[in-house]
Amino acid sequence: MAAILELKDVDAHYGGTQALFGVNCAVEAGAVTTLLGANGAGKTSTLRAICGMVRRTGEIRFDGHRIDGKSTEDIVRMGIAHVPEGRGTFTNLTVQENLDLAAHARRDRALVGEDAQRVFGYFPRLKERLRQQAGTLSGGEQQMLAIARSLMMRPRLMLLDEPSFGLAPLVVLEIFQIMQRINREDGVSIFLIEQNAAMALDLAHDAYLVETGRIVMSGKAADLRDDDAIRRTYLGH
Ligand SMILES: Nc1ncnc2c1ncn2[C@@H]1O[C@H](COP(=O)(O)OP(=O)(O)OP(=O)(O)O)[C@@H](O)[C@H]1O
Ligand SMILES: [Mg+2]
C-alpha cells in the first residue's frame, strides 16, 4: 500500500524550544494510523508540523508531493483536514453557519449539498440542531460538529487531535464508530492522535508511540496492543 502521508526526519521548533526530533512516520492510503504518547510528548506538534502551523524542517509528503514548504491554507486545499485539540468550532455561530463556513473554501460548490447529506447521515443529531449556537452544544456534539466541519472540505486525509478528550465513554464510543465509518465507507485516511490508547489501537491499522519528541515504537496496532511496555504504561493492565 502507498503512503498518503509521509514524514521524514521532521524537526519542529517553537522559538528556541525544540518539540520534535527527527520524526519519521507514515499513514497508508485508506488506513487509520494512530500516534500515541503522554502529555507533552509531541503529538499535537506533529499535526502542527504537517499543517505548517509550527516551524519545521525535514520532508513531509502528501500523496507523494512535498508539502513542507506550503502554507496551512494550501495544505487544507490539497485535501488535508485538521480537527484540532479543543475542536476549533465557532461557538457564537450556529451549527449551520459553522458548516457553511467550512464548505465556503471549496471550489466544487455543486457537491456541497451532497456532502452535507452524508455528514447528516453520520451525525443526525447535528441536523436536529442546525439553528443552535455551537457553544451551547454538549461536548460530544461539539466534537461531532468539528468532525462534520472537516468532512465538508471533502478531505482525503483527516488529522484528529484527541477527539475523545473530556467526553463520556459512550459518546467516545459513538465518535469512534463514526470515524470507522468515515474511513471504511468514504475511504478517508485518518491520522488519529489519542491518549485513549485502548480505543485508538482497536480502530487503527498502524500505530506509533512518541516520547519527548521522538518516535520510540511503531508497528501494526495489534502488535503494539500486545506489547508489555505499552500495556503497562498506556493500557493500564
Ligand atoms: N506554543 C508553544 N510554545 C512553546 N512550547 C510549546 C508550544 N506548544 C507546545 N510546546 C511544547 O512542545 C512540547 C510538545 O507539546 P505538544 O503540544 O505537541 O504535546 P502533546 O503530546 O500534544 O501533549 P498533550 O497530550 O498534553 O496535548 C511540550 O514540551 C510543550 O510544552
Ligand atoms: Mg496535544
Side-chain angles (χ1 to χ4, degrees):
M1 229 182 342
I4 191 163
L5 179 75
E6 227 172 344
L7 277 68
K8 203 169 155 214
D9 300 329
V10 171
D11 290 356
H13 289 86
Y14 297 101
T17 309
Q18 187 165 357
L20 297 181
F21 300 81
V23 165
N24 290 295
C25 61
V27 178
E28 301 297 324
V32 179
T33 297
T34 188
L35 176 65
L36 308 173
N39 285 123
K43 303 183 299 297
T44 296
S45 301
T46 303
L47 295 195
R48 288 193 187 131
I50 295 163
C51 296
M53 297 162 72
V54 62
R55 190 161 57 84
R56 78 282 206 218
T57 57
E59 291 180 17
I60 305 177
R61 282 193 170 75
F62 176 60
D63 218 8
H65 302 287
R66 290 282 290 267
I67 59 167
D68 44 86
K70 293 191 183 294
S71 69
T72 303
E73 200 189 347
D74 286 342
I75 290 166
V76 170
R77 277 187 200 281
M78 288 176 81
I80 301 182
H82 180 202
V83 183
E85 227 174 6
R87 286 146 206 175
T89 55
F90 297 99
T91 51
N92 292 327
L93 301 183
T94 64
V95 169
Q96 178 83 64
E97 287 164 343
N98 267 281
L99 294 174
D100 287 348
L101 268 180
H104 189 71
R106 287 181 37 173
R107 296 201 182 92
D108 49 354
R109 309 283 309 160
L111 296 172
V112 167
E114 188 184 305
D115 286 349
Q117 288 317 309
R118 184 160 49 221
V119 165
F120 294 140
Y122 289 131
F123 302 108
R125 271 201 264 168
L126 292 181
K127 193 174 183 182
E128 295 160 13
R129 291 176 168 74
L130 284 175
R131 271 167 244 302
Q132 191 171 329
Q133 243 192 331
T136 66
L137 296 171
S138 72
E141 290 161 358
Q142 290 193 32
Q143 184 62 63
M144 290 176 191
L145 178 58
I147 297 173
R149 274 176 51 94
S150 81
L151 283 175
M152 291 303 293
M153 305 290 305
R154 198 178 264 235
R156 296 178 54 214
L157 172 68
M158 285 174 76
L159 311 175
L160 289 146
D161 199 340
E162 298 203 42
S164 73
F165 187 79
L167 303 180
L170 270 180
V171 181
V172 174
L173 186 64
E174 192 181 346
I175 286 176
F176 269 69
Q177 284 168 344
I178 292 167
M179 290 192 298
Q180 186 166 54
R181 286 183 55 202
I182 291 168
N183 172 248
R184 289 191 182 163
E185 295 173 23
D186 287 338
V188 179
S189 308
I190 295 180
F191 194 29
L192 171 68
I193 305 291
E194 263 298 334
Q195 287 208 45
N196 190 333
M199 292 201 63
L201 288 173
D202 277 347
L203 176 67
H205 307 95
D206 304 293
Y208 293 86
L209 178 63
V210 59
E211 281 176 9
T212 55
R214 295 165 179 87
I215 300 289
V216 294
M217 196 183 283
S218 65
K220 291 284 154 209
D223 294 335
L224 264 76
R225 202 164 45 211
D226 291 337
D227 182 86
D228 281 343
I230 295 266
R231 280 187 18 212
R232 272 194 306 274
T233 314
Y234 295 95
L235 300 175
H237 62 85

